[in-house]
Amino acid sequence: MPKPTKMIIDTDPGVDDAMAILYAAHDPAIELLGLTTVFGNVPVQKATRNALRLCDLAGLDIPVAEGAARPSVVAPLDPAEAARIHGAEGFGPVPPQTPQRTPTPEDAADFMASMARRYRGEVTLCAIGPITNVAEALRRHPDFAANIAKIVFMGGAAQVPGNVTPYAEANTYQDPHALAEVLASGIPTLMVGLDVTMQTTGSRADFAALAKRHPDHCGFLQRPSDEYIGIYEERGLPGCGLHDPAAVIACVAPDLFNTSKIPLSVVLKGPEIGRTLPGVGATTAVCAGVDAQQLEERFFSMFG
């Protein structure tokens, strides 16, 4: 049996972040080394609180390191839009709760670099929020690019429209300059974008069935997922996209995806800012297709 993948999840929890982190806690193919937090779905202080709360819920005794509070260059996205989707506190109608533990003294960029140094060539970094912390680790630590095994990021849209503008997906829109640095770093990088994540869905019935099977973790997920799914139903879709879970699953089950290596860049200004642009830039692996049924089965069965 292969050894579990050593993984850091860089996150801005977030309803689908909660799905991804609780999934990772259950998947024996994943050895979760820690969580790092970033602004995005909520301000970074709330992201850290939410990440710690998920660790409490899942019994994860791992470090949580707080990271960037704002983008590298551009102005932060209006928080009202994220609040409409994820709720003001990140977990929809679920009220905030003070976690039992506190974050590490080390911040996110330094934590990423120290873990990559300790487990040279073994750590997969899965970024499911704006990729600001990863760019900061590259700036501060010259050995980071050589030490990290690969980066898998949820973001972008290669051949489909964006979800915050007609061109840009939310994570890439919120810090395109950081993504440009990561793409140029030479680190093996995989983009898990809207091209595939919008093909994978979870319905109200799916989460209700999960809550019966695992009342603790999935009972917690059911409440925020109901409101989250409502946003998708307003758009005529049967359920929510499994955006962040798809990225985590891509780290350990790449056979579920069709990927191609293509030149990729990100637009840094103008009306198309945040757009991921195929055909120019550094060669990057991009998910172009997914076995949606198998991915959904893997996600939902892991909580059995």
Side-chain angles (χ1 to χ4, degrees):
M1 188 172 179
K3 292 195 303 183
T5 296
K6 288 180 170 59
M7 188 183 299
I8 297 168
I9 298 179
D10 188 48
T11 178
D12 57 339
V15 179
D16 57 332
D17 301 75
M19 296 174 190
I21 290 164
L22 292 177
Y23 169 86
H26 283 262
D27 191 337
I30 295 171
E31 180 187 346
L32 202 51
L33 299 178
L35 304 178
T36 53
T37 64
V38 67
F39 74 93
N41 294 326
V42 288
V44 71
Q45 295 83 2
K46 292 183 179 181
T48 303
R49 179 202 63 202
N50 290 350
L52 288 163
R53 183 178 182 185
L54 291 169
C55 289
D56 289 345
L57 179 65
L60 288 169
D61 186 16
I62 57 173
V64 174
E66 185 167 292
R70 57 178 295 114
S72 304
V73 176
V74 295
L77 186 66
D78 181 357
E81 176 61 19
R84 188 179 75 83
I85 296 169
H86 296 273
E89 302 297 332
F91 295 150
V94 178
Q97 182 174 306
T98 302
Q100 297 171 18
R101 286 170 291 163
T102 56
T104 68
E106 199 173 28
D107 76 359
D110 288 347
F111 176 78
M112 290 175 178
S114 65
M115 287 294 102
R117 198 174 292 125
R118 181 183 302 179
Y119 302 107
R120 192 174 192 276
E122 297 182 60
V123 177
T124 295
L125 178 52
C126 186
I128 55 177
I131 208 162
T132 312
N133 289 332
V134 186
E136 183 63 24
L138 284 165
R139 293 180 208 122
R140 288 188 202 170
H141 300 277
D143 62 339
F144 179 67
N147 290 340
I148 201 81
K150 65 178 178 178
I151 293 168
V152 176
F153 74 95
M154 190 281 124
Q159 303 296 340
V160 298
N163 60 359
V164 292
T165 74
Y167 310 102
E169 179 276 332
N171 289 338
T172 58
Y173 181 82
Q174 292 200 72
D175 199 340
H177 295 82
L179 180 59
E181 290 182 61
V182 173
L183 294 177
S185 69
I187 301 170
T189 300
L190 173 65
M191 181 177 105
V192 184
L194 297 179
D195 306 80
V196 292
T197 66
M198 285 302 296
Q199 296 181 43
T200 64
T201 56
S203 68
R204 293 180 193 272
D206 290 327
F207 285 98
L210 269 192
K212 288 181 180 178
R213 290 212 311 272
H214 201 301
D216 288 345
H217 297 177
C218 301
F220 171 83
L221 285 179
Q222 187 181 14
R223 288 183 66 197
S225 70
D226 265 352
E227 286 201 3
Y228 188 61
I229 288 167
I231 302 292
Y232 288 83
E233 289 174 340
E234 290 171 8
R235 301 171 185 170
L237 299 168
C240 64
L242 299 177
H243 302 291
D244 294 345
V248 171
I249 291 170
C251 297
V252 292
D255 53 309
L256 297 182
F257 297 84
N258 296 323
T259 63
S260 56
K261 290 188 175 182
I262 60 171
L264 187 73
S265 60
V266 58
V267 177
L268 299 180
K269 59 183 178 180
E272 296 187 11
I273 189 169
R275 180 179 185 177
T276 44
L277 200 61
V280 249
T283 300
T284 306
V286 173
C287 289
V290 60
D291 186 331
Q293 182 179 347
Q294 288 295 315
L295 187 145
E296 290 161 14
E297 287 179 4
R298 183 180 179 112
F299 175 77
F300 288 109
S301 67
M302 201 59 69
F303 295 91

